[in-house]
Amino acid sequence: MSIASAIFRSREPEGGAYHIAFGATALALAATVFYVDTYTDIEGAIAVLYAITVLLAAQAITRVGLITLSCLCGFLSLVSYALTHAGETDLQAMLRLVVALAALVITTMLLVKTETARLALLSINAALRESEGRYRSIFDRTRVALWERDYSKLHAVLMGLKQQGIVDVRAHARAHPGFTERCIDLITVVASNEAGKELLGCDASATGTLKQSITTASDKFLDMLQAIMDNRRVFEDKVLIRTHGGDDKLVLLSISFPEEPLAFHRVIVSMVDITQRELALKALGEAQAELTKASKAAAVGVMSASLAHELNQPLGAIVVNAQTLLRWLDRDPPDLAAARRCAERMVRDSQRASDIIHNTRSLLARRDGSTETFDLDAFIEDTLALLEHELDRSGTKVRIEREHTPPVRAVKIELQQVLINLLTNAIQAMDEAGIENRAIIVRTESQDAGTIRLTIRDTGPGIAEAIRDKLFSPFFTTKATGMGIGLSICRATLEARGGSLTGDNHPQGGAVFSILMPVHPEVERA
Ligand code: ADP
C-alpha cells in the first residue's frame, strides 16, 4: 500500500485530479492561516481556522490522512505561538492556542467517527449488493421457472374478507360469480426468469397479469387463495397451466408466502414442468397393469402345466396297476391276494394324485402347505415305493447311501414331488440313452449343522455342455414329449422353502442333482 493510497481515498473516476485539488486547497488554507497567525497583528483565535482546513480535506482523505493533517495543523499552531510569543508569558495568547488546539482535536475526532461510520455503511452496502447480485444470478440462471409476483393487493382483499368473517374461499367464490377472475387480476408479475418465459412460451417482457396462464376450470387457484387466507407460508400442488401458445401443461407449483403482510409485493413462485413425467408414470402404470395380467395368466398356465406334469406319474401308475389287477382277476382261479396288492397300490397312487391337486390348490390360494418334521430315510423309501413299477420296468437299480442326518422339517408332498421328478428324469435319461447298467444312487448327508444335502446321481449320459445353462429354465426340454417345467418347478419349490437345487455332471459319469435343505427353515415363503 503506497503512502498516497493510505492518505487519499480512492475515488473513481475523478481519481488523482480530485485529490490534488482538495489537497492543494487544504495546504494553501493551512499556509494562509499560518501566515496570518504568525506575521500579522490580528489578535484572535486564528488557529481555530485550521479546523476548516481539516473539514475541507476530509472530503478527499482517509482517517490516517485526517489524523496526519490534524497533527500538522497543531504543529503549525505551536510554531506560530513560539515565533510570536518567544520569551514572554501572554495568558490570552495561550488561551487562544488551547482553544484552537481543542477545536482541531474535536473536529478531527468527529470526522474520524463519521468516516468510520461511512466505511461501515459502504461495506454493508457492498454486502447487500453482492447478496442481491447472487439472488439475481440464481433467479436468472436456474433451470427452475421462477417468477417474482406482487400479491399485495390480493392479500389485502383476502384479509379484508377475513375481517368480515369469511373463512371459506370456495364457498365465497360459489356465492360470488367472477370472484376468481377478479382475484387473478389482482396479481401482477414483476419479473420472470428465462426458464419461466420458456415454460409459458412468452416474450421477453413476461410481466403483467396471470389471466392467460391460470385455468379457472380447476379449484387449485381457490386452494391457493385459501392458503393465503389461512396464513400458510407455503402452497404446493400439481397445477394445470395454459401456455401463451394455448397448450396445457402440468406443473408442480410452489409459492412461498412471506410472514410480513408488507412483503407480499414480492412473492417468489416456482414451477417445474412435470407433464412428461406424469405421462411417463401413466404409461408405466398401464404397462405394469398389463404385466400383472400377463404374469397372472402365465402363472395359471405354469400351474396347470405343472399339475398335468405331476399327475402324469400317479395316473400312469394307476392305469398299470389296474391292468395288472385285471390280469390277476382273469386267472383261473383268480389270485385275490395279488389283486388286493394291486388295488392297494391304486389307492395309494390315487391318494397321491389327490394330494398333488390339494397342494397345487393351496399354492394357488397362496396358503402355506403344512410343514412337518420327518425322517429322510423313511421318506426316501416311501418315495421309491411309488416309483416301484417304473424302476422295475426300466431295470434300474437304486442304491441308498445314508449318513445319519437329523429329521428335516418340510412340506412332505412338495419334497416328494421334487424327488419323484429327479428320479423320473434319471430313469428317462438312462432309458433314452439305452444305458445297460442303470443305477441311481440316492445319498443323504449333513452339509453343515443346519443344512442337509440330498443327492440323486445316475449312470446316464450326463448333461450336455450346451444345455447346462438352460437346464432350469421353464419349458426347456430335450425330450420329444417333455414339458420342460419339472426342474424349474423343483428349484422354485425348494427355494421358496429356503433350500436350493443344482445340477451337474458327476466326475465318474452321469448326472447328479443336489438338494440343499435347511434343517429348520427360517424362511418359509409360500
Ligand atoms: P422335462 O423332463 O419335461 O424335459 P425337466 O425340466 O425335468 O423337463 O428337464 C429339463 C431337461 O433337463 C430335460 O429335457 C433333459 O434334457 C435334462 N435333464 C434332466 N434330468 C437329467 C438327467 N438326469 N440326465 C440328463 N439330462 C437331464
Side-chain angles (χ1 to χ4, degrees):
M1 191 167 70
S2 69
I3 296 176
S5 64
I7 289 178
F8 294 112
R9 286 187 205 165
S10 60
R11 194 186 158 102
E12 299 296 337
E14 297 93 334
Y18 182 85
H19 295 143
I20 290 165
F22 265 94
T25 313
L27 282 178
L29 191 63
T32 310
V33 173
F34 179 73
Y35 176 79
V36 174
D37 196 19
T38 316
Y39 300 108
T40 67
D41 297 334
I42 300 170
E43 293 292 323
I46 300 294
V48 170
L49 295 175
Y50 282 122
I52 296 176
T53 309
V54 178
L55 271 171
L56 242 183
Q59 298 302 311
I61 57 178
T62 62
R63 280 175 293 186
V64 177
L66 268 176
I67 293 165
T68 313
L69 183 63
S70 180
C71 290
L72 180 70
C73 291
F75 176 70
L76 288 176
S77 305
L78 290 171
V79 171
S80 286
Y81 181 82
L83 289 175
T84 49
H85 302 90
E88 60 181 64
T89 315
D90 182 342
L91 198 63
Q92 278 192 358
M94 267 176 80
L95 269 176
R96 282 200 297 274
L97 176 67
V98 170
V99 167
L101 288 177
L104 198 60
V105 170
I106 291 168
T107 309
T108 308
M109 274 171 56
L110 286 175
L111 285 172
V112 167
K113 208 171 152 193
T114 312
E115 177 64 4
T116 309
R118 190 185 70 87
L119 288 176
L121 206 67
L122 277 180
S123 91
I124 290 171
N125 248 340
L128 256 176
R129 265 205 307 278
E130 199 189 317
S131 135
E132 173 73 13
R134 248 199 327 262
Y135 161 76
R136 272 287 141 215
S137 79
I138 293 172
F139 185 85
D140 288 335
R141 290 192 207 146
T142 180
R143 288 314 299 149
V144 176
L146 291 176
W147 284 265
E148 232 182 82
R149 290 183 186 164
D150 185 349
Y151 278 70
S152 54
K153 289 187 199 139
L154 178 66
H155 182 256
V157 167
L158 292 173
M159 290 305 122
L161 288 177
K162 201 173 175 182
Q163 270 173 4
Q164 290 166 32
I166 295 160
V167 285
D168 187 345
V169 175
R170 278 173 192 247
H172 184 76
R174 268 197 304 276
H176 298 82
F179 170 76
T180 311
E181 287 74 11
R182 279 199 299 284
C183 286
I184 293 174
D185 282 343
L186 291 176
I187 306 169
T188 46
V189 180
V190 181
S192 154
N193 69 356
E194 277 308 314
K197 288 169 200 160
E198 255 173 52
L199 182 71
L200 289 186
C202 52
D203 62 5
S205 66
T207 53
T209 69
L210 297 172
K211 209 180 283 176
Q212 219 170 347
S213 46
I214 294 181
T215 47
T216 46
S218 88
D219 282 348
K220 296 289 169 81
F221 185 72
L222 293 176
D223 290 345
M224 192 273 293
L225 297 184
Q226 190 69 55
I228 300 180
M229 195 176 247
D230 297 346
N231 287 326
R232 271 184 265 150
R233 294 278 79 86
V234 177
F235 174 77
E236 263 178 2
D237 211 338
K238 284 181 195 169
V239 176
L240 202 62
I241 53 157
R242 180 146 304 155
T243 67
H244 285 224
D247 300 327
D248 283 344
K249 279 189 179 171
L250 191 66
V251 297
L252 189 66
L253 170 75
S254 172
I255 310 179
S256 310
F257 294 115
E259 217 161 311
E260 279 296 308
L262 286 178
F264 268 79
H265 71 283
R266 195 181 191 185
V267 173
I268 298 294
V269 176
S270 71
M271 285 187 205
V272 177
D273 188 352
I274 52 169
T275 319
Q276 291 307 322
R277 203 192 70 174
E278 288 294 306
L279 285 177
L281 276 179
K282 200 168 158 236
L284 191 70
E286 283 168 4
Q288 265 167 353
E290 283 299 315
L291 200 67
T292 313
K293 257 195 250 166
S295 57
K296 266 188 200 154
V300 172
V302 168
M303 208 58 94
S304 37
S306 139
L307 207 55
H309 180 263
E310 302 304 330
L311 286 177
N312 216 19
Q313 191 278 325
L315 291 180
I318 290 170
V319 171
V320 170
N321 279 312
Q323 285 165 347
T324 319
L325 183 140
L326 286 176
R327 273 203 305 277
W328 289 127
L329 289 179
D330 284 347
R331 278 202 178 181
D332 196 16
D335 187 338
L336 290 180
R340 166 174 269 278
R341 281 197 302 278
C342 284
E344 278 168 1
R345 281 202 290 271
M346 285 165 67
V347 170
R348 184 196 61 192
D349 288 331
S350 311
Q351 185 56 47
R352 227 180 72 72
S354 155
D355 285 351
I356 289 168
I357 292 169
H358 176 79
N359 195 46
T360 311
R361 227 194 297 141
S362 69
L363 276 179
L364 272 177
R366 291 187 176 277
R367 269 202 312 271
D368 213 337
S370 48
T371 52
E372 49 191 302
T373 307
F374 53 90
D375 177 53
L376 255 190
D377 293 343
F379 164 79
I380 292 168
E381 302 274 5
D382 289 350
T383 310
L384 287 172
L386 293 171
L387 290 172
E388 196 182 6
H389 175 77
E390 268 302 294
L391 291 166
D392 281 352
R393 182 201 57 76
S394 60
T396 307
K397 302 240 172 335
V398 178
R399 196 168 79 231
I400 301 176
E401 295 178 354
R402 46 177 83 108
E403 221 184 49
H404 179 70
T405 51
V408 290
R409 189 162 173 75
V411 181
K412 208 172 190 173
I413 182 78
E414 275 180 11
L415 193 60
Q416 198 161 56
Q417 275 170 252
V418 171
L419 195 52
I420 288 176
N421 261 301
L422 297 176
L423 292 167
T424 311
N425 274 348
I427 295 169
Q428 286 175 352
M430 291 186 290
D431 237 1
E432 273 177 21
I435 304 288
E436 269 188 29
N437 291 326
R438 301 177 187 185
I440 295 176
I441 300 110
V442 180
R443 189 178 160 80
T444 54
E445 59 196 320
S446 290
Q447 158 100 351
D448 54 51
T451 321
I452 289 176
R453 180 193 289 270
L454 173 60
T455 48
I456 295 94
R457 181 189 149 196
D458 61 51
T459 52
I463 301 151
E465 196 56 42
I467 66 162
R468 252 160 92 158
D469 292 347
K470 305 175 214 152
L471 215 54
F472 293 93
S473 306
F475 303 110
F476 170 76
T477 181
T478 53
K479 300 169 194 165
T481 54
M483 288 169 109
I485 54 166
L487 287 180
S488 72
I489 290 176
C490 289
R491 179 176 263 185
T493 307
L494 289 168
E495 284 179 353
R497 304 287 176 194
S500 69
L501 174 65
T502 48
D504 212 337
N505 286 323
H506 194 272
Q508 287 159 25
V512 57
F513 285 82
S514 293
I515 298 170
L516 285 184
M517 281 180 299
V519 177
H520 294 291
E522 282 149 29
V523 195
E524 284 197 6
R525 285 168 275 140

